[in-house]
Amino acid sequence: MNDNLTAQLKKKAFELGFSAVGIAPAAALDFAEESLKERVESGRLKDYGFSRKPAERFTHPETLIPEAKSMIVVAWPYLISEKEEGRGPKGRVARFAMGQDYHVVVTERLQELGEWLAGQVPSAKYKICVDTGPMIDRAAARAAGVGSYGKNASIITEKSGSWVVLGEMITDVELEYDDPSPMEECGNCDICVKKCPSGAIICPFVIDQTKCISHLTQMKGIIPRELRPIIGDSIYGCDICQESCPKNIGIDEKTAEEQLIPRFPALIPLLNISQEEFDQIIGPTAIAWIGRTRFRRNVAVALGNIGDSSAVPALIEALTDPEPVIRAHAAWALGQISGSDACEELKKALESETDERVIEEIESALGN
Ligand code: SF4
């Protein structure tokens, strides 16, 4: 194994801005494979790509490069300072989504690291994975000594707590391996389990994605009505379990310039945002993949939960939107806010509405 090359590679990774880097043998992640199979069989991952392919696809680095020797795992810190913007009711965006899309940022940095490695070892082959890639990144991070699991299933690193996103590089270059991190270091603490408003951490280290607020803001279609209130003012992702974690206290923030969308954006201008505005404002962030309709749906739910009557005109406008999903959630939000204008417009909308799901939402809203 090449100790000097390993030390230089880690130095380069830190220079690129990663806050942790570790190296594991490119061997099967057996623990993760068992756990993934169990989660798929229990139906807790039914909306995820994991349930459509064999577990081995996500846990065997050698499927990416047959002669793979090493798996380099990096942690990218994303805690940036917060600000509010605009007037009126505000939503809440998960911190990882405020800056430029991390898939782009981490992939670019890993690509640079790969090019550096190929400069040292011209025969080097490497493949990069960031979130949507085939490797289970949290299991890879633990195997490479980057961090331990928290009871909220996030990876907790020494320098940046759990405020990190992860990436991997699988390579055929033999490097010096790190010891795996302990499986967990939470001890008796179970603050995040108790703080999760939807009870999505059904037991330590096990998340029921169907209840997780972050998942609800990303799912397709109509959000189950009974779950909308727990979403609160979140319009993308959720940080509640991380905010409550004592291991995340005292972590250094990065500079404010990297913030593209405020942590607490004004909601009313976002409800009927045009495609052009969406592409411009949301397009460069990690929120963009859910698309304009899901994003506006989330804004409608947050406005309904906040219950500020200043949102009524924008919600009335959304009642005539071409997308049934928007009309359905706007009707629900108007029902939450109530008031005579909202009722009048809901009754009018009921007369011309043809989509059964929307009719049902309007009737339910009028029932409120
Ligand atoms: Fe672990 Fe406590 Fe942090 Fe949850 S809040 S991840 S139990 S240390």
Side-chain angles (χ1 to χ4, degrees):
M1 297 201 194
N2 193 330
D3 298 3
N4 192 34
L5 179 64
T6 303
Q8 286 179 44
L9 179 125
K10 289 185 173 178
K11 183 169 174 273
K12 179 71 185 170
F14 288 122
E15 282 168 13
L16 287 166
F18 295 113
S19 64
V21 54
I23 301 168
L29 300 162
D30 292 332
F31 161 77
E33 193 172 320
E34 290 308 306
S35 160
L36 180 59
K37 282 179 182 163
E38 189 275 316
R39 285 187 291 159
V40 169
E41 277 162 23
S42 72
R44 297 198 303 274
L45 294 175
K46 64 182 164 64
D47 293 338
Y48 289 77
F50 292 123
S51 41
R52 291 188 283 275
K53 290 180 184 158
E56 292 78 14
R57 181 80 183 78
F58 305 99
T59 52
H60 285 246
E62 72 276 14
T63 59
L64 290 172
I65 297 183
E67 60 278 30
K69 298 273 189 317
S70 309
M71 181 162 56
I72 305 159
V73 184
V74 290
W76 178 258
Y78 64 77
L79 193 63
I80 57 181
S81 52
E82 303 171 358
K83 61 181 181 201
E84 288 196 19
E85 253 175 33
R87 295 164 158 236
K90 307 283 193 310
R92 186 181 299 259
V93 171
R95 289 179 174 86
F96 78 87
M98 290 159 63
Q100 197 193 358
D101 186 348
Y102 72 88
H103 299 90
V104 176
V105 174
V106 177
T107 301
E108 279 176 3
R109 303 294 198 287
L110 276 175
Q111 188 59 39
E112 214 177 307
L113 190 64
E115 283 163 18
W116 178 88
L117 182 61
Q120 312 299 311
V121 184
S123 63
K125 290 193 199 123
Y126 61 89
K127 282 242 166 80
I128 289 167
C129 307
V130 180
D131 184 40
T132 50
M135 290 310 298
I136 294 191
D137 50 13
R138 295 177 193 193
R142 192 195 77 81
V146 164
S148 302
Y149 285 97
K151 284 178 182 163
N152 58 5
S154 60
I155 284 289
I156 302 173
T157 64
E158 195 178 332
K159 188 169 174 213
S160 308
S162 62
W163 303 116
V164 290
V165 288
L166 302 164
E168 302 89 49
M169 186 194 294
I170 318 298
T171 178
D172 61 350
V173 177
E174 197 160 8
L175 296 161
E176 190 187 2
Y177 304 135
D178 291 287
D179 291 332
S181 300
M183 191 61 83
E184 55 100 359
E185 290 185 81
C186 296
N188 293 329
C189 176
D190 63 353
I191 297 172
C192 58
V193 180
K194 291 185 180 137
K195 285 271 179 178
C196 177
S198 61
I201 308 174
I202 49 178
C203 60
F205 316 107
V206 181
I207 311 291
D208 182 347
Q209 298 288 356
T210 60
K211 287 184 186 169
C212 173
I213 292 173
S214 185
H215 169 74
L216 293 174
T217 64
Q218 296 174 40
M219 66 177 283
K220 290 181 184 163
I222 290 187
I223 298 174
R225 201 151 57 222
E226 68 280 9
L227 297 178
R228 291 175 205 160
I230 58 172
I231 294 174
D233 58 1
S234 293
I235 59 170
Y236 189 78
C238 173
D239 282 338
I240 293 172
C241 63
Q242 294 197 91
E243 282 168 341
S244 66
C245 177
K247 309 250 181 204
N248 280 339
I249 294 171
I251 303 296
D252 286 344
E253 288 181 350
K254 295 166 82 181
T255 56
E257 295 78 67
E258 292 164 292
Q259 182 172 316
L260 295 179
I261 181 165
R263 172 118 161 96
F264 303 106
L267 287 174
I268 292 172
L270 294 176
L271 182 62
N272 296 306
I273 189 172
S274 69
Q275 185 65 52
E276 202 182 355
E277 290 167 322
F278 179 84
D279 291 344
Q280 193 190 345
I281 300 167
I282 309 300
T285 73
I287 306 172
W289 75 274
I290 65 168
R292 175 171 164 260
T293 300
R294 269 186 261 178
F295 179 73
R296 294 172 58 219
R297 171 203 66 184
N298 297 345
V299 172
V301 170
L303 285 169
N305 283 330
I306 294 167
D308 189 319
S309 60
S310 64
V312 168
L315 287 165
I316 289 172
E317 189 186 334
L319 268 188
T320 59
D321 195 86
E323 288 286 345
V325 167
I326 299 296
R327 301 199 298 279
H329 290 82
W332 176 82
L334 284 167
Q336 296 300 108
I337 299 172
S338 199
S340 58
D341 283 1
C343 285
E344 199 57 37
E345 293 298 328
L346 282 168
K347 282 179 193 158
K348 252 196 255 172
L350 193 55
E351 285 168 18
S352 56
E353 183 58 62
T354 55
D355 187 293
E356 283 191 12
R357 291 165 307 168
V358 185
I359 291 172
E360 197 271 330
E361 287 286 351
I362 297 175
E363 286 173 344
S364 164
L366 284 167
N368 280 348

